[in-house]
Amino acid sequence: MASYFDDKTILITGAASGIGRRFAETVASRGVRKLVLWDRNPDVLDEVAAGIGDKCQVITHGVDVSSIESVTTHAEKLKSEGVVPDLILSCAGIVVGKMFHEHSAEEIQRTLDINTTGSMWVVHAFLEEMIERGSGHIVNLASASGYIGNPRMSVYAASKWAVIGWSESLRLEMGKLNTGISITSVVPSYIKTGMFEGVKAPFLVPLLETDQIVELMIKGISKKKSKIQAPFMVRFVPFIKSLLPERAFDWVAGNVLGVYRSMESFEGRERDKEKE
């Protein structure tokens, strides 16, 4: 049976860990021709490439998506070699996990640069070539926090609200221009990648296993879905917010579902703490 990923070139950011890494490892055996893996930790990318072996061609670059110079330099290098991705998957992301007033200016800027602006820069670097070719697929990793605010996630939530708004607008633009380019937003709740180590899963919204969300992504991308939302309860959040008065929704989210307490025991990933 033919796979949607057959003979495709896929660029993945944040490919050294979490969803990005697992997605790369999974699709490598599903007919992909070439994987381009970008991350700020190139040594770990070498390990990922070694694990993939000869399943497909793997290109690794140490790219910091928060740096326009880094993104542009490596994008131009790929294009000079005739490499324009068929699919771009933006997984690079960080979370600080503090009350807003506790953030430093650097932490605010870094979160927005990596989670939002970096994704835009990566897509922008290849979009004209995709439009000229008449095909492509852009997949942006958002978050359920882009639907609902949460204490200790103000900057992270802002970055993911922006990703959702940008993705929806980009989808409409690409459709209006008949470019043949699909846009998919992935909107998960907490995932067991280490990035949200210590969080407490809200009621009815269990922590997702990495393999679980990756398989959902593979299925949804193959069907060119505009949104992939998980777990099931996530897709109802915008609807419930539209029905309930603000105070009523806050009471349900905070006291019934426990969403607003979920970050109280947050620890995060050690390597991210070291870089803050």
Side-chain angles (χ1 to χ4, degrees), residues 112-152:
L112 295 174
D113 284 348
I114 294 175
N115 294 4
T116 309
T117 315
S119 297
M120 292 181 177
W121 280 335
V122 172
V123 170
H124 193 267
F126 296 100
L127 192 56
E128 285 192 11
E129 287 78 10
M130 286 182 160
I131 292 172
E132 290 175 5
R133 185 180 59 198
S135 67
H137 199 150
I138 295 162
V139 182
N140 295 319
L141 186 60
S143 166
S145 65
Y147 288 160
I148 177 175
N150 196 12
R152 300 181 187 274

Side-chain angles (χ1 to χ4, degrees), residues 102-209:
E102 297 172 336
H103 281 72
S104 67
E106 181 185 3
E107 288 169 340
I108 294 170
Q109 189 67 63
R110 185 162 159 260
T111 301
L112 295 174
D113 284 348
I114 294 175
N115 294 4
T116 309
T117 315
S119 297
M120 292 181 177
W121 280 335
V122 172
V123 170
H124 193 267
F126 296 100
L127 192 56
E128 285 192 11
E129 287 78 10
M130 286 182 160
I131 292 172
E132 290 175 5
R133 185 180 59 198
S135 67
H137 199 150
I138 295 162
V139 182
N140 295 319
L141 186 60
S143 166
S145 65
Y147 288 160
I148 177 175
N150 196 12
R152 300 181 187 274
M153 293 184 77
S154 58
V155 181
Y156 180 81
S159 73
K160 294 302 184 179
W161 283 37
V163 168
I164 291 174
W166 165 54
S167 299
E168 290 185 355
S169 299
L170 184 60
R171 174 179 60 81
L172 294 170
E173 290 177 355
M174 294 299 99
K176 185 178 181 65
L177 297 174
N178 296 313
T179 62
I181 297 172
S182 300
I183 313 294
T184 298
S185 301
V186 183
V187 189
S189 185
Y190 295 122
I191 306 169
K192 296 180 184 178
T193 61
M195 182 172 170
F196 283 101
E197 188 67 34
V199 300
K200 182 179 179 182
F203 181 59
L204 299 178
V205 189
L207 294 177
L208 292 165
E209 298 289 344

